[in-house]
Every structure is written in C-alpha cells, then in structure tokens.
Amino acid sequence: MEINKNKYSIIVPTYNERLNIALLVYLVFKHLRDVDFEIIVVDDGSPDGTQEVVKQLQQVYGEDRILLRARPRKLGLGTAYVHGLKHASGNFVVIMDADLSHHPKYLPSFIRKQLETGASIVTGTRYVKGGGVHGWNLMRKLTSRGANVLAQTLLWPGVSDLTGSFRLYRKSVLEDVISSCVSKGYVFQMEMIVRASRKRYHIEEVPITFVDRVYGSSKLGGSEIVEYLKGLAYLLVTT
C-alpha cells in the first residue's frame, strides 16, 4: 500500500475533562501507530485541572505531539475549532469530543476512507449499518433521530448524520467551511456539513457507535431542541 505522507491535526475542545483526556490521548496513540499526527487540546479555562493533566501528558508524549492551546473561559465550540486551526500543522484536521463518546479506534477507518476516495470530508455516522448509539435512553434516541430526519427532509445535504461531531477534514476545506458558519453550539456541526454539501465538497461517511459520555456531565441543556429548530430555520433561509 502507498505510504501515507499526510499529517493529521486532531483538535479536541475541552471543558472539565480531567477524567477523560489522558485515556483519550492514550487511545489515540494506540490506534494511530504508523500515522503522523498531533493532538491540539483547546481548553476553555477548565476549573477541574484539565490543563494540569494535559501538561503531564506533554511530559510523556512530547510538546510537539500534544499541544495545549488554552483560552481564558468558555467561548463556544466553533471558535474552539478556529483557535485550534491556527495552531494546526497538519494538512488534514480531525475534530472529536474529549469525553470518549468518540472512540479513537475509528480513526484508522476515517483515514483509510479518505485515502481510498480522495474525499475532502469524512464524517462518522450513527445512522447507517454498523453505526449506532450506546447509553442513550429511548427518548434521547428518538429526539436525535427525529431531529436528523427533519433536517434531512428540509435541507437535503446528502449526509446521514448531520449533528455528529466526529469528522476528518482536509484542512483547507475546514478553513473555507468554518469561515462561512455563524451558528453556535448544537447547531454548529449541522451548519458545517450543510455548507460543505452546498459547496459541493466530496463527503464520505464511516459507521461509528456513539457512546454516551463516560465521566462528567453532559454539556447539553434543556434548550437544545429549541436551538436546533431555530438553527434549522436559519439554514433553510440561508443555504
């Protein structure tokens, strides 16, 4: 097989992920043995000591492999990616959550799919054969699936999982797409993939199983559905 000369910058936004970040980093190194990569942790002033753990990880793995790019306070997911992108030296960027809901074991299949297809974006999907959700109750599964079907019907993006946040991007494509996004929070991932689809970027999917967060509490509040519907209405008008 052809040698993979790409470098992958893995951007991981964190807020109070002290219990998860070390395991995540260990698993990334375990599953990406023959790949050139760096992990960029964008921490939003976590009070739980997340940054101290990351600094310890830098001692183990090296500051060239683990980059801590902290911000003073919670400033939102979209800007966290923008911040991480400024420090990314790879030609591809992976975005993933720190809470272990996205298992690093899927990273090789993302990379393989991109190499095989030449895709600009590879997105993990819960909604095709081989994908799924673990640890959610029926109500949350129905809400997520319903939100996804609603967006599919109205926006026709050609992607089965719009709100997932486990993706591989060609760096130049992520920079282009992210610069045209205005949404915040929960809707942001959906806007990114819809705009990428409208711009005719080549998008591929790989099945993943999403696992509900291992340690800590979910960051999603009760207003997420309202925000989602407002975001959906906005995208209908502007894309």
Side-chain angles (χ1 to χ4, degrees):
M1 187 178 163
E2 186 184 336
I3 295 171
N4 182 2
K5 296 194 178 74
N6 296 316
K7 181 173 182 180
Y8 301 86
S9 298
I10 302 169
I11 300 176
V12 184
T14 58
Y15 185 76
N16 287 353
E17 299 292 358
R18 178 177 62 85
L19 294 169
N20 295 315
I21 192 66
L23 183 53
L24 178 82
V25 167
Y26 164 76
L27 289 169
V28 171
F29 274 86
K30 178 185 174 187
H31 290 285
L32 292 184
R33 291 192 184 278
D34 302 314
V35 174
D36 186 12
F37 71 90
E38 63 186 0
I39 300 173
I40 303 170
V41 179
V42 180
D43 185 73
D44 278 3
S46 297
D48 74 337
T50 297
Q51 290 184 32
E52 283 64 38
V53 174
V54 175
K55 286 170 185 172
Q56 290 173 353
L57 291 167
Q58 287 179 316
Q59 301 305 309
V60 176
Y61 295 102
E63 292 186 22
D64 59 325
R65 306 299 299 281
I66 311 281
L67 287 67
L68 175 59
R69 298 295 180 260
R71 304 193 297 176
R73 63 187 186 282
K74 287 185 83 168
L75 295 165
L77 195 59
T79 58
Y81 294 140
V82 172
H83 186 71
L85 260 175
K86 287 178 190 164
H87 303 283
S89 61
N91 55 326
F92 283 89
V93 174
V94 173
I95 58 172
M96 65 188 300
D97 293 347
D99 62 9
L100 302 174
S101 56
H102 299 150
H103 200 297
K105 70 182 179 184
Y106 295 113
L107 288 171
S109 61
F110 278 59
I111 291 170
R112 195 160 51 244
K113 175 69 84 171
Q114 193 286 320
L115 290 171
E116 287 169 357
T117 63
S120 293
I121 303 169
V122 178
T123 183
T125 177
R126 299 160 285 186
Y127 303 125
V128 297
K129 188 172 168 40
V133 175
H134 182 77
W136 280 8
N137 62 28
L138 181 62
M139 192 62 207
R140 191 162 178 198
K141 282 184 181 176
L142 288 174
T143 301
S144 173
R145 196 62 196 255
N148 211 64
V149 168
L150 181 62
Q152 288 289 340
T153 307
L154 296 176
L155 297 173
W156 287 95
V159 178
S160 68
D161 193 342
L162 286 169
T163 55
S165 53
F166 193 4
R167 295 178 186 154
L168 167 69
Y169 288 87
R170 199 177 293 276
K171 184 183 178 185
S172 56
V173 170
L174 179 55
E175 287 170 334
D176 177 40
V177 171
I178 213 167
S179 67
S180 58
C181 288
V182 298
S183 301
K184 299 282 186 290
Y186 191 57
V187 181
F188 178 73
Q189 301 294 356
M190 181 170 67
E191 181 175 5
M192 291 251 288
I193 208 74
V194 170
R195 294 215 181 272
S197 176
R198 295 289 188 269
K199 287 170 178 278
R200 298 284 188 267
Y201 284 122
H202 179 180
I203 305 169
E204 292 283 344
E205 298 184 313
V206 292
I208 61 164
T209 296
F210 178 97
V211 180
D212 206 9
R213 57 181 300 116
V214 179
Y215 295 115
S217 59
S218 176
K219 314 282 194 307
L220 296 176
S223 63
E224 65 178 30
I225 295 171
V226 175
E227 284 304 307
Y228 176 85
L229 292 172
K230 283 187 344 200
L232 194 59
Y234 167 76
L235 288 175
L236 267 172
V237 173
T238 62
T239 64

